[in-house]
């Protein structure tokens, strides 16, 4: 009994495992962006702050960098955390995933004057069949239908890629493609800022939960458990839903 009591006292006296996670943010409205006072905000940033605070973790912000560079540093163990990640088998080799914290919706958009011609598209295969062209993000996973159609789209020269949504919207407006694909909320947000009218096709290529992706080498399973517990409790008390609702994201 004395030994058990001593062990309990030691456990209570020891602080919880330190949890500081390094993140390199990306200017990606409405998820991460600086306001006119250069203060970082956005729905993902607010969700992350709420989750980490509840989990007893600190956030260490590194300098902003392009997505490709950020992914390399993450795989090298120099960053601990990436946001809005799809849980794929390939990534499980070097990362661990939290519970979902929101849904990602990928949409196909075009200019209003082209909608009548393209509205009946209901697969990426149809894009090639209808002799249309697609603008797509350079990086990311956008569903199995897209992955299956990639060889055909590339072989026929019907796919061009862009690095940022700002670049993609400019390419669409300039006639570099008939359709643009990407996160639906981000594309609408950027199009409004650039004063370009875009309309969404009925076909929705991909909708899936997204996760916090933790580096398997630089984080622990115990830290992931704390984060998952925080997500569960904040979903139950409505705190995460309230943040998403303020941005019109469900």
């Amino acid at each position: 009994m004395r030994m058990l009591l001593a062990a309990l006292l030691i456990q209570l006296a020891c602080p919880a495992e330190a949890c500081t996670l390094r993140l390199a943010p990306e200017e990606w409205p409405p998820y991460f962006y600086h306001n006119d006072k250069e203060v970082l905000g956005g729905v993902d940033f607010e969700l992350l702050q709420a989750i980490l605070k509840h989990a007893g973790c600190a956030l260490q912000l590194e300098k902003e960098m392009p997505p490709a560079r950020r992914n390399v540093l993450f795989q090298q163990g120099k960053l601990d955390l990436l946001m809005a990640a799809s849980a794929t088998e390939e990534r499980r080799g070097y990362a661990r995933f939290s519970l979902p914290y929101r849904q990602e919706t990928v949409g196909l958009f075009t200019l209003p004057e082209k909608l009548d011609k393209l509205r009946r598209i209901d697969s990426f295969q149809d894009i090639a069949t209808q002799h249309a062209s697609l603008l797509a993000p350079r990086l990311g996973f956008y569903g199995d239908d897209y992955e299956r159609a990639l060889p055909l789209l590339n072989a026929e020269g019907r796919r061009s890629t862009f690095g940022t949504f700002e670049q993609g919207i400019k390419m669409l407006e300039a006639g570099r493609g008939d359709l643009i694909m990407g996160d639906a909320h981000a594309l609408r947000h950027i199009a409004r800022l650039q004063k370009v009218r875009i309309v969404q096709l009925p076909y929705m290529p991909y909708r899936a939960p997204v996760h916090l992706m933790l580096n398997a080498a630089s984080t622990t399973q115990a830290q992931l458990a704390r984060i998952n517990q925080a997500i569960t409790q904040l979903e139950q008390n409505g705190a995460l839903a309230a943040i998403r609702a303020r941005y019109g994201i469900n």
Side-chain angles (χ1 to χ4, degrees), residues 41-234:
V43 60
D44 270 16
F45 186 61
E46 288 194 34
L47 291 169
L48 178 62
Q49 285 183 307
I51 292 165
L52 293 188
K53 181 179 180 181
H54 199 84
C57 294
L59 179 64
Q60 179 178 320
L61 290 175
E62 305 291 339
K63 66 179 182 180
E64 294 185 34
M65 60 187 69
R69 174 66 175 158
R70 189 175 60 244
N71 289 341
V72 168
L73 290 182
F74 181 85
Q75 293 188 44
Q76 291 176 346
K78 297 176 181 176
L79 294 173
D80 306 310
L81 174 67
L82 294 180
M83 298 289 295
S86 299
T88 66
E89 286 305 313
E90 178 189 0
R91 289 173 172 174
R92 290 186 191 281
Y94 56 84
R96 52 180 113 247
F97 294 90
S98 76
L99 294 172
Y101 68 90
R102 68 168 170 83
Q103 292 285 320
E104 175 187 37
T105 300
V106 173
L108 273 178
F109 294 82
T110 188
L111 299 175
E113 59 267 25
K114 295 185 179 182
L115 181 60
D116 284 344
K117 174 188 173 185
L118 302 171
R119 71 166 68 246
R120 285 176 291 281
I121 285 176
D122 63 4
S123 72
F124 286 99
Q125 199 85 13
D126 277 355
I127 294 174
T129 303
Q130 295 195 28
H131 306 291
S133 54
L134 175 70
L135 301 170
R138 196 168 294 135
L139 299 173
F141 178 77
Y142 299 98
D144 293 332
D145 183 33
Y146 178 63
E147 293 295 319
R148 284 191 297 268
L150 270 178
L152 177 62
L153 292 172
N154 289 337
E156 295 195 356
R158 300 202 173 276
R159 185 183 77 115
S160 300
T161 61
F162 54 84
T164 67
F165 287 121
E166 290 87 352
Q167 180 187 18
I169 292 294
K170 287 177 182 176
M171 291 169 70
L172 181 72
E173 187 181 28
R176 298 272 301 278
D178 299 310
L179 296 157
I180 187 168
M181 177 186 73
D183 180 280
H185 296 289
L187 280 172
R188 288 195 196 97
H189 185 93
I190 296 300
R192 281 196 300 270
L193 290 179
Q194 296 186 190
K195 295 180 171 55
V196 177
R197 284 193 62 212
I198 59 173
V199 287
Q200 187 170 358
L201 271 63
Y203 171 58
M204 185 182 296
Y206 187 61
R207 180 173 168 83
V210 293
H211 313 258
L212 306 183
M213 184 163 75
L214 277 64
N215 192 300
S218 64
T219 65
T220 68
Q221 193 64 36
Q223 290 169 339
L224 177 64
R226 287 161 63 178
I227 287 170
N228 281 340
Q229 183 181 42
I231 292 172
T232 299
Q233 292 174 349
L234 292 172

